[in-house]
């Protein structure tokens, strides 16, 4: 062999062995999925996050807007010490009591009411909670503009998710009122008195406090969001007028006006989506700013919590409790938490960190500006397209355009499909690599000549790298993807099942082609030909058979785990197209490009045998799938047992079990 030939073969082997199609396959499948995901209402901002989403082991979801519709209506009201029935009947209430409540609603809001001149329905603006409150205010006789002109706002403490309450100070003719509105049990805890039906202020006895508390719990158990109203009068002299911006509104010694319960129904389809996650081994956790009773009720409604299981701490936990735990205790608790109520955005961040430390791949949804750190920290941050702020969207990897949890689950499905497509490509490619290299090396060592020459190998390389990437990267997701557990962080990319498929096919190809390499002249009955002709025909035959083995095996690569590899194949036009093109080119090469490839034409008999041998890879793959594989990943067996660094005790124990 001349030096040039050796060099050519060496270079070819390197070209074959280098999987230059892999980045192409990864990019292709990501880009393809990204385009398709738009249709499922997910806008991908960071391409690689699709794939990460496929291995997510847990999703921490917001409640409001994601699991629920974010269409709020007041359905229960507990005012002036009595339950209103129906919730907008204020006939028993004295005028002074009613006007105080209405003042609180109209002034302490970020929303507005616009009444069209033609007497149509009122138009409301503001957050869904604000709108629900304002629309309830209209029902109890609030004249928004009139109330707003009667008094003037002198200072505002805006509502925020951290403190879960907001307040305004309003100046009236005869003094200043400070109106608070916010999370019911938090506001209640700072009330020392309550307003009764006749408009008098009663001091808060322990019994009355319990009564209010129970009504909050009852509303919560009915999955209602509870908001309480309270106020106090303030001496105008005591207000630091010159430095009013830094004035902290007084928030103890308040008088409770009342509590309302706001209904926000679950989104249709959420229950099924949660169930889908459960079968897919992805744990859904709910993180919400609402109180724990409300959170629990909604979680039961949409199937995140199971009514039959124990529901106690830390499965259902309050943000504050979690926040105050030590870091290690948080780690222990995080795994068990399913519902976190009264959480602040920072608690979400703590939960994400704790879960990540436990080895989870965490997806998090968020909409508020202060969700940004949690979105950033999570493996996959999902922001909400409708209710989300710009900041939240900027820090997220994927934007869920319709805010719906169902779309979040679709992203998981697409992510798994990306991962599976990459695996399919790798299985296909590795089989070709192993087979081609083994055949050539064995032949070269034993007879000093290689059956597959450089030009042939380059064509094979094209089939498996570029064309293979195109064919296998665009497989659409199947339902089976959501029936197995997530791969998480640890599982290797090439699974035992893939190794098994690979070995079965590669062994078959190597065995059959080496037999022809050694004894082809006799088997193919070419004794009548001259020696060099017989050798050329045999080598062409081996090349042709090898390519057909790959073409048929490309079908097997579509479904590494299922027995029926043809399911949905006709729907994948690109795949069928690539197979068609490869076959046509192969025929052209053998019949017309002989000079270039240094091969000869084959008769119909040898063509048939080539295709038949390739065809055997189908039943072979079917039978091969009955071979059981160990659960433990293959690379684990090759991990060095003894090395210079003594393994930690717990690792060793884990390894031997
Ligand atoms: N505009 C508001 N004014 C006063 N209190 C409010 C207002 N909006 C919400 N609340 C109270 O604060 C709590 C919700 O706070 P937060 O804003 O943290 O939750 P969210 O982000 O709306 O909901 P989720 O976390 O479920 O998506 C509610 O339970 C309610 O009692
Ligand atoms: Ca290659």
């Amino acid at each position: 062999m001349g030096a040039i030939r050796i060099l050519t073969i060496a270079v070819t082997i390197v070209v074959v062995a280098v999987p230059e199609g892999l980045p192409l396959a990864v990019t292709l499948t990501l880009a393809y999925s990204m385009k398709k995901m738009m249709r499922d209402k997910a806008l991908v901002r960071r391409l690689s996050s699709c794939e990460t989403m496929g291995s997510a082991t847990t999703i921490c979801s917001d409640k409001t807007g994601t699991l629920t519709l974010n269409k709020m209506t007041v359905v229960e009201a507990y005012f002036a010490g009595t339950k209103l029935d129906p919730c907008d009947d204020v006939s028993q209430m004295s005028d002074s009591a009613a006007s105080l409540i209405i003042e609180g609603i109209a002034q302490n809001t970020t929303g507005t009411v616009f009444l069209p001149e033609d007497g149509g329905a009122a138009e409301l603006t503001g957050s869904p909670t604000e709108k629900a409150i304002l629309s309830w205010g209209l029902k109890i006789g609030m004249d928004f503009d009139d109330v707003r002109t009667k008094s003037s706002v002198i200072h505002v403490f805006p509502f925020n998710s951290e403190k879960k309450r907001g307040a305004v100070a309003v100046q009236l003719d005869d003094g200043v009122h400070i109106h608070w509105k916010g999370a019911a049990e938090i506001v209640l805890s700072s009330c020392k008195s309550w307003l009764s039906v006749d408009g008098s202020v009663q001091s808060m006895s322990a019994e009355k406090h319990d009564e209010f508390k129970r009504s909050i719990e009852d509303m919560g158990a009915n999955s209602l969001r509870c908001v309480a109203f309270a106020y106090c009068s303030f001496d105008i002299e005591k207000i630091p007028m010159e430095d009013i911006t830094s004035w902290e509104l007084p928030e103890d010694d308040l008088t409770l006006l009342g509590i309302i319960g706001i209904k926000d129904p679950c989104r249709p389809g959420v229950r099924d989506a949660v169930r889908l996650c459960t079968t897919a081994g992805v744990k859904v956790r709910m993180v919400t700013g609402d109180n724990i009773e409300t959170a629990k009720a909604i979680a039961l409604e949409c199937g995140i919590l199971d009514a039959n299981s124990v529901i106690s701490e830390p499965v259902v936990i309050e943000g504050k409790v979690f926040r105050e735990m030590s870091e290690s205790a948080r780690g222990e608790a995080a795994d068990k938490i399913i519902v976190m109520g009264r959480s602040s955005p920072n608690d979400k961040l703590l939960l994400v960190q704790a879960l990540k430390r436990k080895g989870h791949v965490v997806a998090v949804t968020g909409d508020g500006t202060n969700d940004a750190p949690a979105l950033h920290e999570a493996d996959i941050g999902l922001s909400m397209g409708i209710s989300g702020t710009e900041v939240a969207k900027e820090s997220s990897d994927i934007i869920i355009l319709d805010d719906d949890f169902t779309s979040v689950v679709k992203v998981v499905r697409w992510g798994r499909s990306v991962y599976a497509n990459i695996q399919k490509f790798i299985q296909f490619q590795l089989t070709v690599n192993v087979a081609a290299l083994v055949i050539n090396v064995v032949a070269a060592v034993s007879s000093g000549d290689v059956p597959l020459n450089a030009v042939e190998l380059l064509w094979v390389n094209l089939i498996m790298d570029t064309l293979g990437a195109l064919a296998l990267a665009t497989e659409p997701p199947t339902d089976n993807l959501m029936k197995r557990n997530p791969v998480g962080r640890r599982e290797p990319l090439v699974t035992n099942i893939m190794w098994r498929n690979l070995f079965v096919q590669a062994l078959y190809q190597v065995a059959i082609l080496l037999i022809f390499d050694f004894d082809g002249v006799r088997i193919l009955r070419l004794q009548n030909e001259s020696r060099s002709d017989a050798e050329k025909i045999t080598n062409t035959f081996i090349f042709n058979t090898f390519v057909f083995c790959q073409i048929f095996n490309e079908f097997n690569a579509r479904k590494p785990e299922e027995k029926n590899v043809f399911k949905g194949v006709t729907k994948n036009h690109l795949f069928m197209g690539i197979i068609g093109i490869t076959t046509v080119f192969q025929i052209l090469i053998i019949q017309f490009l002989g000079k270039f490839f240094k091969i000869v034409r084959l008769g119909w008999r040898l063509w048939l045998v080539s295709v038949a041998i390739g065809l055997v890879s189908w039943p072979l793959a079917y039978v091969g799938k009955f071979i059981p594989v160990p659960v433990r990943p293959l690379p684990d067996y090759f991990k060095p047992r003894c090395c210079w660094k003594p393994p930690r005790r717990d690792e060793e124990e884990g390894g031997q079990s």
Side-chain angles (χ1 to χ4, degrees):
M1 259 199 285
I4 298 280
R5 247 189 95 206
I6 294 177
L7 193 69
T8 321
I9 289 179
V11 168
T12 323
I13 286 180
V14 171
V15 171
V16 170
V18 170
E20 74 273 10
L22 190 57
L24 178 71
V26 174
T27 316
L28 255 173
T29 178
L30 282 172
Y32 163 80
S33 311
M34 176 182 163
K35 206 174 125 232
K36 290 283 171 130
M37 276 158 92
M38 270 303 264
R39 224 183 287 164
D40 281 342
K41 299 279 179 276
L43 173 72
V44 181
R45 294 188 67 242
R46 196 164 56 85
L47 208 52
S48 61
S49 61
C50 308
E51 189 262 354
T52 321
M53 191 64 178
S55 47
T57 57
T58 181
I59 304 176
C60 303
S61 173
D62 270 345
K63 177 183 76 67
T64 311
T66 311
L67 294 165
T68 67
L69 284 168
N70 214 2
K71 294 212 176 88
M72 310 220 183
T73 21
V74 176
V75 293
E76 267 187 50
Y78 203 92
F79 269 82
T82 49
K83 184 172 173 180
L84 308 186
D85 190 24
C87 70
D88 49 7
D89 176 22
V90 284
S91 55
Q92 302 170 26
M93 232 182 272
S94 71
D95 285 348
S96 62
S99 69
L100 205 51
I101 293 167
I102 288 175
E103 181 184 280
I105 295 174
Q107 289 289 24
N108 188 10
T109 183
T110 48
T112 58
V113 177
F114 173 72
L115 288 170
E117 306 242 306
D118 59 8
E123 284 167 26
L124 307 174
T125 64
S127 73
T129 311
E130 296 284 0
K131 283 202 266 192
I133 295 170
L134 287 173
S135 117
W136 180 75
L138 291 174
K139 282 197 206 143
I140 62 166
M142 167 180 78
D143 184 338
F144 189 74
D145 294 325
D146 185 49
V147 181
R148 301 267 285 199
T149 49
K150 271 195 198 145
S151 54
S152 59
V153 176
I154 52 175
H155 188 49
V156 184
F157 171 78
F159 171 83
N160 73 52
S161 293
E162 209 72 51
K163 296 201 91 177
K164 306 234 183 285
R165 54 193 186 275
V168 288
V170 291
Q171 189 169 5
L172 302 109
D173 303 333
D174 54 348
V176 171
H177 281 170
I178 293 165
H179 280 284
W180 283 91
K181 166 172 120 250
E185 74 280 358
I186 299 179
V187 171
L188 175 64
S189 67
S190 38
C191 287
K192 296 235 171 77
S193 54
W194 57 282
L195 186 80
S196 73
V197 182
D198 55 17
S200 63
V201 172
Q202 314 273 337
S203 84
M204 183 78 75
S205 62
E207 292 86 65
K208 201 67 195 172
H209 186 272
D210 284 349
E211 194 185 314
F212 284 121
K213 208 169 150 197
R214 227 172 308 122
S215 66
I216 296 172
E217 281 166 6
D218 286 347
M219 287 186 204
N222 286 331
S223 68
L224 304 182
R225 158 174 280 201
C226 309
V227 175
F229 296 83
Y231 94 111
C232 64
S233 298
F234 202 75
D235 209 344
I236 194 154
E237 259 80 71
K238 287 198 208 143
I239 299 177
M241 280 299 181
E242 63 287 349
D243 191 20
I244 197 156
T245 43
S246 56
W247 177 38
E248 290 209 14
L249 292 169
E251 54 179 315
D252 36 58
D253 207 356
L254 304 179
T255 303
L256 185 74
L257 297 171
I259 303 157
I260 51 168
I262 305 174
K263 175 119 198 119
D264 180 15
C266 263
R267 277 183 186 273
V270 159
R271 231 192 135 81
D272 293 331
V274 170
R275 196 169 320 122
L276 196 62
C277 282
T278 315
T279 35
V282 182
K283 193 155 181 175
V284 182
R285 297 164 212 266
M286 176 168 119
V287 185
T288 174
D290 265 326
N291 86 25
I292 202 149
E293 294 299 327
T294 314
K296 208 154 78 181
I298 294 273
L300 283 168
E301 229 172 277
C302 52
I304 291 177
L305 274 178
D306 182 6
N308 303 322
S309 60
V310 262
I311 303 173
S312 61
E313 232 174 76
V315 175
V316 177
I317 200 169
E318 218 168 292
K320 193 158 148 269
V321 180
F322 184 66
R323 201 179 312 154
E324 282 160 6
M325 285 178 173
S326 70
E327 197 170 300
S328 61
R330 267 207 297 272
E332 289 308 312
D335 239 350
K336 303 198 190 98
I337 292 175
I338 298 181
V339 173
M340 188 179 330
R342 281 290 178 247
S343 64
S344 70
N346 196 45
D347 300 337
K348 207 188 245 180
L349 177 66
L350 290 177
L351 179 65
V352 171
Q353 284 168 339
L355 285 170
K356 272 180 86 175
R357 252 182 278 123
K358 276 268 148 186
H360 280 283
V361 179
V362 190
V364 161
T365 73
D367 47 13
T369 301
N370 37 20
D371 284 332
L375 288 172
H376 205 84
E377 176 74 22
D379 295 292
I380 317 103
L382 303 138
S383 64
M384 296 299 143
I386 302 170
S387 63
T389 59
E390 252 352 275
V391 179
K393 288 181 193 167
E394 281 294 317
S395 340
S396 67
D397 304 307
I398 296 173
I399 303 175
I400 303 295
L401 297 171
D402 60 355
D403 289 18
D404 194 341
F405 184 73
T406 321
S407 309
V408 175
V409 179
K410 285 187 189 145
V411 176
V412 177
R413 194 175 131 109
W414 275 109
R416 290 190 172 191
S417 148
V418 166
Y419 190 83
N421 283 352
I422 295 171
Q423 283 184 320
K424 289 171 194 173
F425 172 72
I426 290 180
Q427 182 189 311
F428 176 64
Q429 153 133 123
L430 273 182
T431 313
V432 190
N433 270 359
V434 169
L437 294 184
V438 171
I439 290 168
N440 262 6
V441 168
V442 171
V445 168
S446 55
S447 69
D449 203 1
V450 290
L452 298 168
N453 66 37
V455 188
E456 286 168 352
L457 279 179
L458 288 179
W459 164 235
V460 168
N461 188 49
L462 189 69
I463 295 181
M464 67 184 195
D465 271 337
T466 317
L467 297 178
L470 278 172
L472 292 168
T474 53
E475 281 279 323
T478 61
D479 288 338
N480 269 349
L481 288 173
M482 294 300 271
K483 285 186 190 139
R484 54 175 179 229
N485 281 336
V487 288
R489 275 188 213 289
R490 285 159 194 277
E491 217 160 288
L493 186 58
V494 184
T495 61
N496 285 355
I497 292 188
M498 290 163 66
W499 282 121
R500 175 198 64 197
N501 298 347
L502 188 157
F503 278 125
V504 168
Q505 294 294 335
L507 201 67
Y508 167 68
Q509 292 175 12
V510 168
I512 211 116
L513 295 180
L514 281 182
I515 289 176
F516 280 108
D517 187 47
F518 291 129
D519 207 12
V521 178
R522 200 178 55 82
I523 301 173
L524 300 172
R525 304 213 191 101
L526 301 170
Q527 290 96 331
N528 301 340
E529 314 277 339
S530 73
R531 203 182 117 80
S532 80
D533 276 358
E535 213 164 72
K536 263 200 170 149
I537 295 177
T538 321
N539 276 353
T540 310
F541 172 80
I542 290 177
F543 165 58
N544 198 35
T545 311
F546 184 73
V547 169
F548 274 97
C549 281
Q550 308 323 323
I551 294 178
F552 285 104
N553 192 34
E554 204 156 352
F555 285 85
N556 295 331
R558 290 181 67 237
K559 309 267 173 197
E561 304 198 359
E562 291 160 58
K563 297 207 172 74
N564 178 6
V565 296
F566 304 109
K567 209 157 139 199
V569 69
T570 46
K571 284 199 208 100
N572 191 344
H573 302 301
L574 191 59
F575 181 86
M576 294 306 277
I578 298 281
I579 293 288
I581 289 174
T582 318
T583 313
V584 169
F585 264 99
Q586 179 63 19
I587 295 172
L588 290 180
I589 288 171
I590 298 286
Q591 298 303 96
F592 303 107
L593 294 172
K595 249 215 163 90
F596 190 56
F597 277 77
K598 297 204 195 76
I599 51 178
V600 291
R601 288 189 187 173
L602 291 180
W604 64 271
R605 203 168 49 92
L606 290 186
W607 265 102
L608 272 188
V609 181
S610 284
V611 175
I613 291 176
L615 195 66
V616 171
S617 74
W618 283 353
L620 193 67
Y622 184 83
V623 175
K625 280 174 189 156
F626 287 97
I627 303 174
V629 291
V631 195
R632 198 167 146 210
L634 197 62
D636 270 15
Y637 292 94
F638 300 108
K639 281 209 178 122
R641 283 250 142 191
C642 53
C643 40
W644 58 274
K645 200 172 92 188
R648 283 212 330 262
R649 159 151 268 178
D650 52 353
E651 266 176 12
E652 194 164 50
E653 276 166 6
Q656 277 160 356
S657 64

